[in-house]
Amino acid sequence: SENSNTTRHLAEFWMIEPEAAFCDLQDDLELAEEFVKHLVGSVLKDCSEDLDFLCRFIEPALLKTLEETAKTPFEIISYSDAVQALKRSGEAFTFPVEWGNDLQAEHERYLTEKLLQKPVGIIDFPRALKPFYMRVNDDEQTVAAMDILVPGVGEIIGGSQREERRDVLLQQMELKGISTDDYRWYVELREYGSVPHAGFGVGLERMVQFMTGLPNIREVIPFPRTPGHADF
């Protein structure tokens, strides 16, 4: 729960969270792309009347955006390359662009709507930015994480390859101040060996927002629980 009042945040939201064994970061990216394209394809096939309505009254370019998403391969770039592209853009961003800073919505939308004009997968984020369970890369500065960004919304999926190495996991927990006692069960999953595995979380309301072109996430959920709005 976040005390955030933006057009894409809620205090309570729904997530779709697949986890896949024997998968690395590349497999995770492919699964995420296939998932998005499957949903978009289903909407294009089964919801033409709704899309016509939304194009008429909400977002005229919606149908074109969804059709392009369904047929065009996603662009995959590293976090470091994304930072360099943002720095070279000449855009006057509100939030400064520096390696080690998290990407903000304005950065994500520039990448998807202006620079690349398609959904984008950002990979290999700084180790300090991401949770302890994401797999540390060989450079020891980044982790095998990914964000999928889409036009109009920005980040719609966040995920990673998970850290299957017990010793590295314990190092990560110590660095980030995570109690090994509280997460004893998680560490034990690696006690006798594990396998490469990966997963991600899809923001359900953000997905609906992308599919409908509605500008505010509060408009795509029946009861928007936001800071100061729901007492119970």
Side-chain angles (χ1 to χ4, degrees), residues 16 41 52 55 58 64-65 80 113-114 126 132 143 145 150 175 201 207 219 225:
I16 302 162
D52 288 342
C55 286
I58 303 297
K64 179 182 177 182
T65 298
S80 298
E113 297 170 25
K114 293 185 178 181
F132 72 93
V143 290
V150 294
L175 282 171
M207 182 66 74
E219 298 174 322
R225 290 176 172 84

Side-chain angles (χ1 to χ4, degrees), residues 6-179:
T6 77
T7 58
R8 60 182 202 146
H9 285 93
L10 296 164
E12 178 182 290
F13 57 95
W14 287 56
M15 293 283 282
I16 302 162
E17 297 193 341
E19 292 284 334
F22 306 103
C23 282
D24 60 15
L25 181 62
Q26 182 60 40
D27 298 319
D28 210 29
L29 284 164
E30 291 174 5
L31 180 61
E33 180 172 344
E34 290 173 9
F35 183 84
V36 172
K37 287 185 172 181
H38 175 77
L39 292 181
V40 170
S42 296
V43 168
L44 289 170
K45 177 184 176 183
D46 300 327
C47 305
S48 58
E49 289 186 12
D50 297 307
L51 292 177
D52 288 342
F53 176 86
L54 292 164
C55 286
R56 182 179 177 187
F57 293 104
I58 303 297
E59 175 50 67
L62 177 63
L63 187 59
K64 179 182 177 182
T65 298
L66 294 179
E67 288 174 341
E68 288 295 319
T69 299
K71 68 182 182 182
T72 305
F74 291 7
E75 189 79 19
I76 308 300
I77 62 174
S78 71
Y79 167 90
S80 298
D81 287 344
V83 167
Q84 290 302 315
L86 291 164
K87 283 189 167 186
R88 293 193 302 264
S89 69
E91 295 281 320
F93 294 116
T94 302
F95 294 92
V97 180
E98 293 294 341
W99 200 95
N101 291 350
D102 210 354
L103 298 180
Q104 301 297 319
E106 59 177 347
H107 307 143
E108 296 170 348
R109 294 190 62 174
Y110 172 82
L111 293 169
T112 57
E113 297 170 25
K114 293 185 178 181
L115 182 64
L116 300 169
Q117 299 182 359
K118 61 165 69 172
V120 180
I122 310 290
I123 63 171
D124 297 335
F125 283 78
R127 184 176 181 178
L129 279 181
K130 294 296 184 179
F132 72 93
Y133 53 79
M134 295 189 174
R135 195 179 201 277
V136 179
N137 289 327
D138 291 341
D139 62 11
E140 298 189 349
Q141 301 300 311
T142 62
V143 290
M146 65 150 194
D147 282 353
I148 302 296
L149 320 178
V150 294
V153 178
E155 181 194 344
I156 201 169
I157 290 176
S160 73
Q161 182 175 343
R162 313 312 193 186
E163 185 56 77
E164 83 280 9
R165 299 165 296 184
R166 182 178 181 275
D167 57 337
V168 180
L169 180 66
L170 290 171
Q171 290 172 12
Q172 279 283 85
M173 296 177 78
E174 182 178 358
L175 282 171
K176 295 180 180 292
I178 304 295
S179 168

Side-chain angles (χ1 to χ4, degrees), residues 211-231:
M211 298 285 197
T212 59
L214 287 163
N216 196 313
I217 198 167
R218 302 180 191 206
E219 298 174 322
V220 299
I221 184 171
F223 189 92
R225 290 176 172 84
T226 53
H229 181 67
D231 291 332

